[in-house]
Amino acid sequence: MAREKGGFWVGVAAAVFYPLSYLTGSPHYEGREHLPAEGGALVVANHISYLDPVYTALWVHTARRVPRFLAKASLWKIPVFGKVLVGTGQIPVYRDSADAQQSLRAGVEGLADGKVVVIYPEGTITRDPDGWPMHSRTGAARLALSSEVPVLPMVHWGTREVYDHYNKKFRPLPRTQITVRAGEPIDLSAYRGRPIDATILREVTELFMTRCKELLAEVRDETPPPGFYRRAAGGRTAEAATPEAERNGGPA
């Protein structure tokens, strides 16, 4: 199978990411058979460390595809790195602005053009103290329902052991096993053809993150908690919300 062509800047990123991945951990990539060899695909992943994108990108690249991330627009302002993001065709996300819809349109166009688009629905690294997925934004659901492509759940485990941002800890040694696993495409047939409104977006978002949580439980060989961790107004932590509470009162 021929590798999807990525161009000069994808080659530059690969030349940096492959050595970095082996310096910071012992990577194990699983479930690549679920990614189609060609055509659009949406990958929805959990987010536990700022190292995750390195391993997500390599999971896709070792499957001979090129990843396109939806990432916060502020990253484009970083010298050199911003140029790499432009050169590799990544998609900036402008949160809470009139440009937010433009980001989603770019994602839909990328999927329609046969690209592999990656999104972290949580929007940032999880605040859950135990590393489980937290309450998520609905952009991934809107992308999925606006496209006719496979949607793959993906999870990372081990990256937070290497770089724990919230606790300011970086431990590259001893090398930690880092697992990146994708599951089978999520069945969205029950949602196709229905009007896309806040209710359906929340239901589909819960479906995505529940599948990610189940997949992570398999990797961790643990029982996942009910619901999803949430933060209360003012930055205070809150108890995990049940799926019923998410449907009845959770923000999009």
Side-chain angles (χ1 to χ4, degrees), residues 30-62:
E30 303 172 0
R32 285 171 293 188
E33 67 274 12
H34 299 306
L35 185 68
E38 58 184 18
L42 178 62
V43 175
V44 294
N46 76 326
H47 201 6
I48 56 174
S49 170
Y50 287 135
L51 281 177
D52 291 342
V54 172
Y55 293 92
T56 312
L58 293 179
W59 183 95
V60 175
H61 197 255
T62 55

Side-chain angles (χ1 to χ4, degrees), residues 71-88:
K72 52 189 177 184
S74 59
L75 296 175
W76 271 251
K77 299 178 182 179
I78 301 174
V80 182
F81 187 60
K83 190 170 185 178
V84 174
L85 292 174
V86 173
T88 55

Side-chain angles (χ1 to χ4, degrees), residues 133-162:
M134 64 179 180
H135 182 80
S136 299
R137 299 170 181 265
T138 59
R142 188 176 292 278
L143 277 176
L145 294 174
S146 300
S147 309
E148 293 285 346
V149 300
V151 179
L152 275 62
M154 172 187 281
V155 294
H156 309 78
W157 191 241
T159 49
R160 192 170 71 162
E161 293 300 309
V162 180

Side-chain angles (χ1 to χ4, degrees), residues 172-191:
L173 296 174
R175 293 175 72 214
T176 299
Q177 177 172 312
I178 293 174
T179 300
V180 185
R181 178 184 296 181
E184 296 181 356
I186 298 171
D187 183 6
L188 293 177
S189 57
Y191 300 95

